[in-house]
Amino acid sequence: MWGKRDDMVVHEREPFNAEPPPGVLADAPITPVEAFYSRNHGPVPGTDRDSWRLAVAGLVDRPLSLSLSDLRRDFEPCTLAVTLQCAGNRRAGMAAVREIPGEDPWGDGATSTAEWTGVRLADVLAAARPTGRAAHVAFEAVDVSPLARPAQPYGASIPFAKASAPEVLLAWAMNGRPLPAAHGAPLRVVVPGYIGARSVKWVRRVVVRAEPSDNYFQAVAYRLLPPDADPDRAGPGDGLSLGPIALNSAILRPADGTSVPPGRTTVRGYALAGEHRRVARVDLSADGGASWRQAELDPAAGAYTWQLWHADVTLPPASDVELIARAWDDTGALQPESPRALWNPKGYANNSWPRATIHTSPRP
Amino acid sequence: MWGKRDDMVVHEREPFNAEPPPGVLADAPITPVEAFYSRNHGPVPGTDRDSWRLAVAGLVDRPLSLSLSDLRRDFEPCTLAVTLQCAGNRRAGMAAVREIPGEDPWGDGATSTAEWTGVRLADVLAAARPTGRAAHVAFEAVDVSPLARPAQPYGASIPFAKASAPEVLLAWAMNGRPLPAAHGAPLRVVVPGYIGARSVKWVRRVVVRAEPSDNYFQAVAYRLLPPDADPDRAGPGDGLSLGPIALNSAILRPADGTSVPPGRTTVRGYALAGEHRRVARVDLSADGGASWRQAELDPAAGAYTWQLWHADVTLPPASDVELIARAWDDTGALQPESPRALWNPKGYANNSWPRATIHTSPRP
């Protein structure tokens, strides 16, 4: 389905929401397209590359209408490795604290990394000559979401300062090949360091504004509500609008609930520091937190990607072993310990210490 | 002593290390000089304002030697409200987990906010024309620290990109008056968002480099070592070099261990998001974490300051009440819960949830 592996964990078929099976993300720093998570809010739209035009409008002195050929011809191409992470990544761990009705129970797999090719949004904005009132940049897509109240095309916005940073792309290719339909063909936004929801797929309008987008998915959804809020009654502006993402990590392999032989095992996972930060250290415990060792961090594929990590542990036979990881960023900040304190009604931003219980078989 | 309040909590007289008494920081968003914490590594040097010269050297095409008059005449003056926070702030809470020999047990008071006036370091650097190899900017001071191995003048460095940001100042005034001796007269660096140790006082040389400073206080001290490291054997480059600071908060009033009448009490504190982040929410519990309410956040005095917060609670009579606060930043990141996980051999960067136990008197 949509060019994905047969063994994807499909949370919903329409809208198509799926993550790779546990452990697969540990295989490579750049995720193959067939394993890259898919997060959609409506049906994948059919689009025509040749007739596609991107409008740049709003608070600009020179509105633009650009074909894909115009983008390729008029702006410098740019390829960047970027990790995207859904705000609902690791929701399952939060739902284990208290149920989160109506939201998909994503595991660790709503995070993936690709090499994106396109042009810098900053260059396109500059060509449109934003006015002095420019403070936000909204993205309007073509996919209509029945989840929004009322149903509406998907949209989002980011601050103008972020939109003007060199890392934000209008991308037409993923891992060196044209963007697949399920990932936003023919053109999508890639906003490194921000929740995936701001990397709008199938983008057809970029609107420079004085205020954030009033699209449902910016104004109402993707907000961190206080635990006692009723999400069905929450209105525009309630809670904390999610944008830049926080330090996070996962244990990928061995996967939670699996069995391994006793003895030496390599534990693998990812860590992601989010906007303006770098991962500085990852610790691993193989005894439920009583003792910790430092994991080895693989080099990052870029300034906006996760880092895969691994650590060797020696596991006793015939035991249930609790693995716990915890990542630190370069400010000395540590992930929070428990999802209990992080619980929120929509189940966003679970960045608590990842835990995996592994069973070891008896000695052979 | 050094123009400070008589009731400062003095950790050491020489070098002079003192913080305001518990609660005092809650009085105003801009800390009076007489309450502002002092963190020194050697004797406060005597300096002469009239003959003082600042050298700008290293990887620059045009080395400079500037008097204070030159700085005032040649560059645009700038006043910014900035919170400084010592990396050892709240060490006492970490030392309660496991002792931290040889380091002062700072409470919540190694954090203060002032309005700093000077010029932008970026402007001064630009005038010196840094070469293409510029990657770090080192600051050399005149105060000689006997704590360094070997004894040496205090120094530090920050990345060139940060040094080129408009918020980093060379400051000669604090809260509208000439810088006092204990705060770096006649000239100091102010690096918003970074640990106080990088805001070098009595600065006389700014050196553009390809590498970080090899001064003891950059290369060896102010590093977050893993818990099992021996700080006396740690060498240059061990652990994580502290620079940008992490999300933190404190309960200032009522102070830990004090008594208040039962009934309605206003709890006050500060929250500070650190580099590139804003405080988004502060929660307060008056029942040891069983229930939480949101505190009111006062407006920030600037983009690089703490925010004071307050929340009304109703306390039962004749009880020991555990107050707990927890701050969230605008990425949805939460402070870590416990100092246990944060413990490190030098006791840096305790940003766990602040806790205060308050005794309420019986009904009158």
Side-chain angles (χ1 to χ4, degrees):
Chain A
M1 199 174 186
W2 298 113
K4 297 292 168 187
R5 297 164 59 111
D6 291 340
D7 57 357
M8 291 292 275
V9 178
V10 178
H11 295 292
E12 294 176 85
R13 296 181 73 85
E14 172 117 356
F16 182 58
N17 285 303
E19 64 183 301
V24 163
L25 291 175
D27 290 342
I30 302 294
T31 314
V33 171
E34 62 265 27
F36 201 106
Y37 81 97
S38 276
R39 170 72 178 110
N40 292 295
H41 301 80
V44 172
T47 58
D48 177 56
R49 184 176 301 269
D50 293 333
S51 61
W52 191 265
R53 296 194 78 83
L54 177 76
V56 183
L59 300 173
V60 295
D61 285 337
R62 188 175 156 228
L64 303 175
S65 173
L66 300 163
S67 67
L68 289 174
S69 304
D70 294 337
L71 282 172
R72 286 174 185 269
R73 189 192 58 221
D74 296 346
F75 302 95
E76 188 194 354
C78 176
T79 296
L80 267 187
V82 175
T83 299
L84 295 184
Q85 182 168 84
C86 179
N89 188 54
R90 303 185 61 215
R91 180 181 287 127
M94 197 174 266
V97 172
R98 184 172 140 198
E99 63 171 349
I100 300 170
E103 300 290 335
D104 290 332
W106 294 94
D108 309 312
T111 303
S112 303
T113 303
E115 288 181 330
W116 307 95
T117 300
V119 295
R120 292 182 183 87
L121 175 61
D123 293 346
V124 175
L125 287 172
R129 296 193 202 128
T131 73
R133 292 173 54 222
H136 296 267
V137 175
F139 309 119
E140 298 176 12
V142 301
D143 55 320
V144 176
S145 174
L147 308 172
R149 291 167 293 172
Q152 59 196 261
Y154 189 81
S157 64
I158 59 175
F160 184 78
K162 177 68 179 179
S164 305
E167 69 270 16
V168 180
L169 302 183
L170 293 167
W172 57 70
M174 181 180 183
N175 292 352
R177 286 191 240 163
L179 216 48
H183 288 288
L187 193 69
R188 71 172 297 167
V189 188
V190 174
V191 186
Y194 273 48
I195 60 167
R198 308 310 179 211
S199 289
V200 173
K201 300 190 284 284
W202 313 290
V203 63
R204 63 170 176 187
R205 277 169 60 86
V206 169
V207 185
V208 179
R209 296 167 54 98
E211 304 292 335
S213 168
D214 45 21
N215 186 282
Y216 174 82
F217 294 98
Q218 183 73 40
V220 180
Y222 291 111
R223 302 187 80 97
L224 197 68
L225 299 171
D228 52 353
D230 176 353
D232 292 330
R233 287 163 179 256
D238 285 357
L240 187 169
S241 175
L242 292 166
I245 53 177
L247 178 66
N248 213 333
S249 67
I251 295 171
L252 295 171
R253 195 174 275 158
D256 185 40
T258 57
S259 291
V260 299
R264 203 165 182 81
T265 289
T266 301
V267 180
R268 297 177 186 279
Y270 64 71
L272 177 66
E275 181 78 342
H276 294 305
R277 304 276 169 98
R278 300 299 301 162
V279 174
R281 191 174 118 197
V282 172
D283 299 337
L284 181 73
S285 173
D287 53 13
S291 67
W292 298 84
R293 77 207 64 197
Q294 284 189 54
E296 295 286 320
L297 278 167
D298 290 351
Y304 293 94
T305 66
W306 63 17
Q307 285 176 263
L308 299 181
W309 55 263
H310 59 95
D312 287 342
V313 296
T314 302
L315 304 179
S319 303
D320 283 325
V321 174
E322 188 181 18
L323 302 173
I324 313 178
R326 59 184 193 194
W328 308 70
D329 74 20
D330 54 0
T331 70
L334 172 65
Q335 293 182 255
E337 188 166 337
S338 159
R340 190 167 298 277
L342 301 174
W343 193 94
N344 61 87
K346 300 282 277 183
Y348 293 133
N350 178 14
N351 73 332
S352 60
W353 300 358
R355 291 162 191 266
T357 300
I358 309 301
H359 185 73
T360 57
S361 43
R363 288 191 204 283
Chain B
M1 197 173 187
W2 299 113
K4 297 291 167 187
R5 296 165 60 112
D6 291 340
D7 59 356
M8 292 291 276
V9 178
V10 178
H11 295 293
E12 295 176 84
R13 295 180 73 84
E14 171 113 1
F16 181 58
N17 285 303
E19 65 183 301
V24 163
L25 291 175
D27 289 343
I30 302 294
T31 314
V33 171
E34 63 265 25
F36 201 105
Y37 80 96
S38 276
R39 170 71 178 108
N40 292 297
H41 302 80
V44 172
T47 58
D48 177 55
R49 184 176 302 269
D50 294 334
S51 61
W52 191 266
R53 296 193 79 81
L54 177 76
V56 184
L59 300 173
V60 295
D61 285 336
R62 191 176 152 224
L64 303 174
S65 173
L66 301 163
S67 68
L68 289 175
S69 304
D70 294 336
L71 282 172
R72 285 172 185 272
R73 189 192 61 222
D74 296 345
F75 302 95
E76 187 192 357
C78 176
T79 297
L80 267 186
V82 175
T83 299
L84 295 184
Q85 180 167 85
C86 178
N89 188 55
R90 304 186 60 218
R91 180 181 287 127
M94 197 174 266
V97 172
R98 184 171 140 199
E99 64 171 348
I100 300 170
E103 300 290 334
D104 291 331
W106 295 94
D108 309 313
T111 304
S112 303
T113 303
E115 288 181 330
W116 307 94
T117 301
V119 295
R120 292 183 182 86
L121 175 61
D123 293 346
V124 176
L125 287 172
R129 296 194 203 128
T131 72
R133 290 174 55 221
H136 295 267
V137 175
F139 309 120
E140 298 175 14
V142 302
D143 55 320
V144 176
S145 174
L147 308 173
R149 292 166 292 174
Q152 59 196 263
Y154 189 82
S157 64
I158 59 175
F160 184 79
K162 177 68 178 177
S164 305
E167 69 270 16
V168 180
L169 302 183
L170 293 167
W172 56 70
M174 181 178 181
N175 291 353
R177 285 191 242 162
L179 216 48
H183 288 289
L187 193 69
R188 71 171 298 167
V189 188
V190 174
V191 186
Y194 274 49
I195 60 168
R198 308 309 180 212
S199 289
V200 173
K201 300 190 284 285
W202 313 290
V203 64
R204 64 170 176 187
R205 277 170 59 86
V206 169
V207 185
V208 179
R209 296 167 54 97
E211 304 291 335
S213 169
D214 46 21
N215 186 281
Y216 175 82
F217 294 98
Q218 183 72 41
V220 180
Y222 292 111
R223 302 187 80 98
L224 197 69
L225 299 171
D228 53 352
D230 176 353
D232 292 330
R233 286 164 181 256
D238 284 358
L240 185 169
S241 175
L242 292 166
I245 53 176
L247 178 66
N248 214 333
S249 67
I251 296 171
L252 296 171
R253 195 174 276 157
D256 184 41
T258 57
S259 290
V260 298
R264 203 167 182 80
T265 288
T266 301
V267 181
R268 297 178 187 279
Y270 65 71
L272 178 66
E275 181 78 342
H276 293 305
R277 304 276 170 99
R278 300 299 301 160
V279 174
R281 191 173 117 196
V282 172
D283 299 336
L284 181 73
S285 173
D287 53 14
S291 68
W292 297 84
R293 77 207 65 199
Q294 283 189 55
E296 295 286 319
L297 278 167
D298 289 352
Y304 294 94
T305 66
W306 64 16
Q307 285 175 262
L308 299 181
W309 56 263
H310 59 94
D312 287 342
V313 295
T314 302
L315 304 179
S319 302
D320 284 327
V321 175
E322 187 181 18
L323 302 173
I324 313 178
R326 59 184 191 193
W328 307 70
D329 74 19
D330 54 359
T331 70
L334 171 65
Q335 294 182 254
E337 187 165 337
S338 159
R340 188 166 300 277
L342 300 174
W343 192 94
N344 61 86
K346 300 283 276 182
Y348 292 132
N350 179 13
N351 73 332
S352 60
W353 299 358
R355 291 161 190 266
T357 300
I358 310 300
H359 185 73
T360 57
S361 42
R363 288 191 204 285

